[in-house]
């Protein structure tokens, strides 16, 4: 057992003693503030997640983490820095000063977090990177971004080959500001071109929200009115793309059209459940499973276990698939 793990075991025992004194103290989610005193509170898992408050799938996953945390004696706090990298790092530095037990970070730019992650671990705080991997971390919890994106691209490419003799004009809605977005986008393109090498990618542009997807796709369809395949790294963006498709006067049931995204949001899953429209695929996140994994992985590491990376694969959901119902139920929708 490493020196670090021995230290973490002793620390976990001390923390548990404190937690027993205030059993049942599961707190609501908000970010911690410098004025918050943590000395006498239960074990803390602080989660920094850009756009956590506006992406429904993320909200579902982190709500599951809070629920699991309450069961296991943890308080799970979530901070949404938006896309402000400096704000995210400053909040994490505050958490280090407050000596939370675990910090979980969805890092927009992983390299920018090496130094602050090193500071956290030197302070005895467990560092978990969500969906990415950095040098100074105890584990990754999340997804295999490139392979998951590639699976969507391959499905779309095979559909183009089978349905359109391998020819289509494609719009990619990516997110180059984040490494995860770069990896998903690269996977989508590689998978698409592997199965349908003769497609033409006519445009690539960032879009992550429904509003982005609507506005960006509206402009791109004006420039490329014959584009018939739209693939995105986030379902919220492709939901917006679907609205732009209809607003452009295109047939929502166009047999030559294909829209597909990632994450398995409620609107996307409802379109897939209904079928008979151009929204044909989503890579769905097992949201509850990921939320639980955040807490159980943190708990294992605090108890001195070497978990390694915990990767939860996304699952391809296609039109009329019963999987759409399964994931809708997971999000409390039907």
């Amino acid at each position: 057992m490493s020196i670090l793990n021995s230290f973490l075991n002793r620390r976990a025992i001390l923390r548990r003693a404190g937690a027993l004194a205030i059993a049942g103290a599961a707190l609501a989610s908000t970010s911690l503030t410098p004025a918050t005193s943590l000395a006498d509170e239960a074990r803390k898992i602080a989660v920094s997640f850009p756009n956590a408050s506006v992406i429904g799938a993320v909200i579902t996953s982190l709500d599951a983490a809070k629920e699991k945390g309450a069961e296991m004696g943890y308080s799970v706090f979530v901070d949404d820095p938006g896309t402000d990298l400096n704000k995210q790092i400053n909040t994490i530095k505050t958490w280090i000063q407050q000596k939370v037990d675990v910090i979980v970070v969805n890092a927009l730019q992983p390299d920018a977090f090496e130094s602050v992650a090193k500071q956290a671990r030197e302070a005895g705080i467990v560092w978990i990177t969500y969906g990415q991997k950095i040098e100074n971390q105890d584990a990754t919890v999340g997804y295999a971004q490139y392979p998951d994106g590639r699976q969507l691209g391959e499905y779309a490419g095979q559909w183009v080959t089978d349905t359109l003799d391998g020819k289509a004009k494609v719009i990619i809605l990516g997110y180059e500001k984040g490494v995860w977005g770069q990896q998903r986008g690269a996977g989508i393109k590689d998978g698409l071109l592997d199965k349908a090498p003769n497609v033409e990618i006519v445009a690539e542009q960032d879009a992550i929200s429904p509003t982005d997807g609507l506005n960006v796709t509206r402009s791109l369809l004006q420039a490329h009115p014959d584009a018939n395949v739209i693939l995105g790294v986030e379902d919220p963006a492709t939901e917006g793309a679907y609205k732009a498709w209809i607003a452009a006067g295109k047939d929502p049931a166009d047999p030559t059209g294909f829209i597909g995204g990632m994450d398995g949001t409620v609107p996307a899953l409802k379109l897939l459940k209904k079928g008979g429209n151009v929204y044909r695929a989503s890579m769905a996140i097992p949201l509850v499973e990921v939320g639980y994994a955040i807490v159980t992985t943190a708990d294992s590491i605090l108890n001195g276990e070497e978990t390694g990376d915990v990767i939860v694969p996304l699952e391809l959901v296609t039109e009329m698939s019963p999987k759409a119902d399964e994931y809708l139920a997971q999000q409390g929708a039907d």
Side-chain angles (χ1 to χ4, degrees):
M1 179 178 294
S2 69
I3 293 173
L4 174 60
N5 285 339
S6 297
F7 170 75
L8 292 174
N9 273 333
R10 292 196 301 274
R11 191 165 182 272
I13 292 170
L14 291 172
R15 291 290 184 183
R16 280 210 174 85
L20 287 173
I22 54 173
L27 303 179
S29 76
T30 55
S31 61
L32 300 179
T33 66
T36 303
S37 172
L38 302 175
D40 298 324
E41 296 178 354
R43 291 174 295 175
K44 303 295 184 298
I45 300 175
V47 182
S48 176
F49 203 116
N51 299 313
S53 60
V54 297
I55 300 176
V58 176
I59 292 171
T60 298
S61 187
L62 294 181
D63 281 349
K66 294 168 196 169
E67 177 187 350
K68 190 68 174 179
E71 290 177 5
M72 298 179 67
Y74 292 92
S75 295
V76 178
F77 294 86
V78 179
D79 181 74
D80 177 2
T83 58
D84 189 333
L85 178 62
N86 290 329
K87 180 181 178 183
Q88 185 176 25
I89 290 176
N90 287 336
T91 298
I92 292 168
K93 287 180 177 177
T94 299
W95 289 343
I96 295 172
Q97 294 171 357
Q98 293 174 325
K99 300 187 183 302
V100 299
D101 297 271
V102 181
I103 294 176
V104 182
V105 176
N106 180 9
L108 287 171
Q109 299 293 336
D111 290 345
F113 289 84
E114 291 288 2
S115 176
V116 70
K118 185 172 184 290
Q119 293 174 36
R121 298 181 76 203
E122 288 175 347
I125 297 170
V126 171
W127 182 284
I128 295 174
T129 313
Y130 181 98
Q132 294 291 337
K133 191 175 184 66
I134 65 175
E135 182 177 348
N136 287 293
Q137 68 172 36
D138 293 284
T140 289
V141 172
Y143 327 111
Q145 307 284 12
Y146 176 86
D148 289 335
R150 184 178 177 98
Q151 189 173 351
L152 174 62
E154 288 179 348
Y155 180 77
Q158 190 62 56
W159 184 89
V160 169
T161 295
D162 294 342
T163 309
L164 306 174
D165 293 329
K167 296 180 180 178
K169 295 195 175 182
V170 182
I171 291 172
I172 303 289
L173 302 179
Y175 193 65
E176 290 299 307
K177 294 178 182 176
V179 172
W180 65 268
Q182 297 168 14
Q183 293 171 341
R184 282 187 176 189
I188 288 172
K189 286 187 288 184
D190 288 351
L192 173 70
L193 295 172
D194 182 53
K195 296 295 183 181
N198 293 323
V199 300
E200 180 184 358
I201 298 176
V202 297
E204 298 180 54
Q205 197 162 325
D206 278 7
I208 195 171
S209 69
T211 302
D212 291 344
L214 173 63
N215 294 333
V216 168
T217 305
R218 178 186 290 151
S219 296
L220 292 177
L221 286 177
Q222 289 173 352
H224 306 281
D226 52 352
N228 58 336
V229 174
I230 302 172
L231 300 173
V233 299
E234 284 278 352
D235 271 320
T238 41
E239 291 161 15
Y242 180 76
K243 292 180 179 177
W245 179 280
I246 295 172
K250 290 177 170 290
D251 181 0
D254 185 347
T256 69
F258 186 112
I259 296 178
M262 299 184 68
D263 283 353
T265 57
V266 169
L269 291 169
K270 285 186 174 180
L271 285 170
L272 292 170
K273 177 182 177 180
K274 181 179 179 182
N277 59 73
V278 295
Y279 211 105
R280 301 189 188 276
S282 173
M283 292 297 296
I285 298 173
L287 299 168
V288 173
E289 186 177 343
V290 172
Y292 285 1
I294 289 173
V295 178
T296 57
T297 303
D299 181 71
S300 295
I301 297 172
L302 285 171
N303 283 296
E305 298 177 23
E306 295 183 2
T307 63
D309 295 339
V310 179
I311 302 301
V312 181
L314 275 59
E315 186 170 16
L316 178 66
V317 179
T318 58
E319 49 190 330
M320 308 294 284
S321 165
K323 287 290 181 183
D325 264 333
E326 179 181 323
Y327 283 102
L328 282 169
Q330 196 175 75
Q331 298 183 58
D334 53 24

